[in-house]
Amino acid sequence: MSQLSRRTLLKASGIAAGMSSLSLDSTVAAKKSYKPELSLNMSTIMGQKLGYIKEIEIAAAAGFRSCEIWMPTLEAYLKTGGTLKDARKRADDLGMKIQNCIGFAQWIVDDEKVRAQGLEQMKREMDMLAQLGCPRTAAPPMGATKEAGLDLHKAAERYRVILELGAQMGVKPILEMWGHSKNLSKVSEVLFVAAESGHPDARLLLDVFHIYKGESSVDSLHVVGPDAVEVFHVNDYVKSIAPGQITDGDRIYAGDGEAPIAQILKTLQPEVISLELFNKTFYTQDPLIVAKNGLAKMQRILL
């Protein structure tokens, strides 16, 4: 090898080493500065039957600046004379960002007629959400939960259909995993469907509770990828209740149980972490206190 070649090689190696070090330093810095947006999923105070506007007001009063709404609650508000324009203005006036909507369109089922109805429902809901300024809607395996055997390749094709619809409507459908479902109950399954869809907007909606309920491995969450989860549901559980027996109502405040929440968040680093509870005990309490407690405990797990 000539002297010039050696010098060139050594110089290039030095640059590469420097770039590698810089990349590592940047990664470490990014992890240290990770500050997700804290959100309240309205399921947490749904049992008090406050109505759409009051739920937004409670979330804001508790200190949240982001929230997830539920489509049935929004529709009930509209049926009693409310308007999307007024709903958006109220959220804007309170400084609240609606990050996602929980909907239940049956877009994934094998029955063509039901699926067509589900697509129409999702289109109608996306139109409302676009007017609200909500950028996402949940896309759970609604209608395909009780019987196993859903073809995941077909599920991926159907997910792509609603992703393309979402690109047109300006609302991104995020694929939700349900640990109790006979289909899409594991991270590996939703990851396959999202990847197989072949669409750049494919994203996952994961949940501390559903990871446990579906018995997915926390140690393999690194394969999900750094940009795959924009919204993540936080909550907690006790391991004395086995995955097969635990129910949505057994969810407790994040940090009050035994879930490896810190490890999960460190691995996934979602943009938004949203408190999603269905605890009947909390439904008997002052919703403002419940929301404040939830926010304080979320902040604590991020310290």
Side-chain angles (χ1 to χ4, degrees), residues 228-270:
V229 181
E230 295 177 350
V231 179
F232 182 78
H233 289 164
V234 294
N235 34 65
D236 215 328
Y237 53 80
V238 291
K239 293 180 181 178
S240 58
I241 309 177
Q245 281 72 51
I246 200 166
T247 67
D248 281 318
D250 295 314
R251 302 182 190 209
I252 54 180
Y253 287 122
D256 280 3
E258 302 171 84
I261 301 175
Q263 179 186 350
I264 293 171
L265 294 179
K266 181 180 179 182
T267 302
L268 297 177
Q269 297 202 8

Side-chain angles (χ1 to χ4, degrees), residues 37 60 64-66 89-98:
E37 185 71 21
F64 286 97
R65 290 297 170 262
S66 286
K89 184 177 186 303
R90 188 64 185 126
D92 289 345
D93 289 347
L94 291 168
M96 289 292 294
K97 172 65 177 176
I98 302 172

Side-chain angles (χ1 to χ4, degrees), residues 149-176:
L150 179 69
D151 186 327
L152 295 188
H153 287 89
K154 290 182 179 179
E157 294 172 3
R158 294 163 189 170
Y159 183 41
R160 183 178 179 86
V161 169
I162 63 171
L163 284 167
E164 291 176 345
L165 176 62
Q168 296 170 18
M169 305 289 291
V171 177
K172 186 186 300 180
I174 50 180
L175 185 63
E176 186 170 14

Side-chain angles (χ1 to χ4, degrees), residues 285-302:
Q285 300 172 6
D286 183 330
L288 181 57
I289 292 176
V290 172
K292 283 184 174 180
N293 286 342
L295 179 59
K297 290 174 184 291
M298 290 170 75
Q299 292 169 331
R300 198 168 299 140
I301 64 175
L302 291 171

